[in-house]
């Protein structure tokens, strides 16, 4: 795991997590999903936990508590997960095969290529470039098999 300087996070018990009632947590969870996922705020490089908290009329500690307890990750990992999922879609879409990694990274909301690569590798165990090459190779093999079957 030395690649991209990824280290495993140790589980910490934050006292403020227990201060948020389960009902409020569920309510905030739905609102967070709506803003981050449905409204696609994860694509905004500058959309921080602070902006999310302001939009939800709460504070960043509550946002952090909800994301930690309900999604089992920190805010950055939570947002990056959706960025990576979209990147995986773009990397395997023929319409975007001419885009380079910086362009894909930018489209999904990463500020720089290094954080894109590190997050992608952490989630998938391979680089975005390897992922694209692997998928395109699989796709071309599938296409060749389909053509052979039709003959």
């Amino acid at each position: 795991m030395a690649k991209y300087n990824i280290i495993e996070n140790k589980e910490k018990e934050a006292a403020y997590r227990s201060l948020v009632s389960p009902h409020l947590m569920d309510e905030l969870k739905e609102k967070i999903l709506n803003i981050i996922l449905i409204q696609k705020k994860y694509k905004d490089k500058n959309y921080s936990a602070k902006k999310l908290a302001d939009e939800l009329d709460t504070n960043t500690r509550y946002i952090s508590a909800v994301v930690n307890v309900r999604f089992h990750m920190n805010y950055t990992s939570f947002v990056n997960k959706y960025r990576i999922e979209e990147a995986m879609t773009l990397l395997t879409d023929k319409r975007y095969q001419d885009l380079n990694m910086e362009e894909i990274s930018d489209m999904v909301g990463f500020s720089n290529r290094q954080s894109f690569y590190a997050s992608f590798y952490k989630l998938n165990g391979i680089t975005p470039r390897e992922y694209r090459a692997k998928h395109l190779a699989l796709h071309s093999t599938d296409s060749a098999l389909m053509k052979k079957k039709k003959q």
Side-chain angles (χ1 to χ4, degrees):
M1 279 280 246
K3 200 169 188 177
Y4 300 111
N5 295 325
I6 296 171
I7 53 173
E8 291 296 318
N9 289 337
K10 292 180 181 77
E11 190 66 29
K12 293 179 255 177
E13 189 54 49
Y16 62 85
R17 289 181 192 165
S18 61
L19 298 175
V20 185
S21 74
H23 174 71
L24 180 57
M25 262 205 199
D26 290 340
E27 195 177 299
L28 285 173
K29 175 188 174 188
E30 292 307 314
K31 290 178 179 179
I32 290 168
L33 281 171
N34 178 48
I35 291 170
I36 300 296
L37 185 58
I38 308 300
Q39 295 178 31
K40 295 187 183 266
K41 293 286 187 171
Y42 63 85
K43 287 182 167 190
D44 182 348
K45 292 173 183 55
N46 302 310
Y47 198 76
S48 63
K50 172 78 175 113
K51 287 183 181 178
L52 178 60
D54 290 345
E55 201 168 321
L56 294 177
D57 263 345
T58 189
N59 61 56
T60 54
R61 285 192 175 249
Y62 275 34
I63 297 297
S64 178
V66 171
V67 171
N68 274 270
V69 171
R70 294 295 192 246
F71 301 105
H72 309 290
M73 59 184 84
N74 64 33
Y75 178 79
T76 303
S77 296
F78 175 70
V79 172
N80 285 348
K81 177 178 167 263
Y82 293 110
R83 290 174 175 164
I84 296 303
E85 286 174 2
E86 177 141 353
M88 289 166 68
T89 302
L90 297 177
L91 288 166
T92 58
D93 189 322
K94 284 186 176 184
R95 295 174 293 179
Y96 301 103
Q97 70 185 35
D98 293 336
L99 296 181
N100 64 34
M101 292 306 139
E102 287 81 7
E103 292 166 321
I104 297 283
S105 167
D106 189 59
M107 284 175 73
V108 299
F110 282 95
S111 301
N112 60 63
R113 193 182 74 121
Q114 289 76 19
S115 59
F116 171 56
Y117 264 72
S119 294
F120 196 98
Y121 190 85
K122 184 178 180 182
L123 232 72
N124 297 305
I126 59 175
T127 67
R129 196 171 307 283
E130 290 168 335
Y131 179 84
R132 177 185 261 173
K134 185 177 176 181
H135 186 275
L136 292 176
L138 281 173
H139 185 71
S140 61
T141 304
D142 290 347
S143 295
L145 287 173
M146 291 301 283
K147 285 179 185 174
K148 207 173 194 177
K149 282 184 178 180
K150 286 182 180 179
Q151 290 176 349

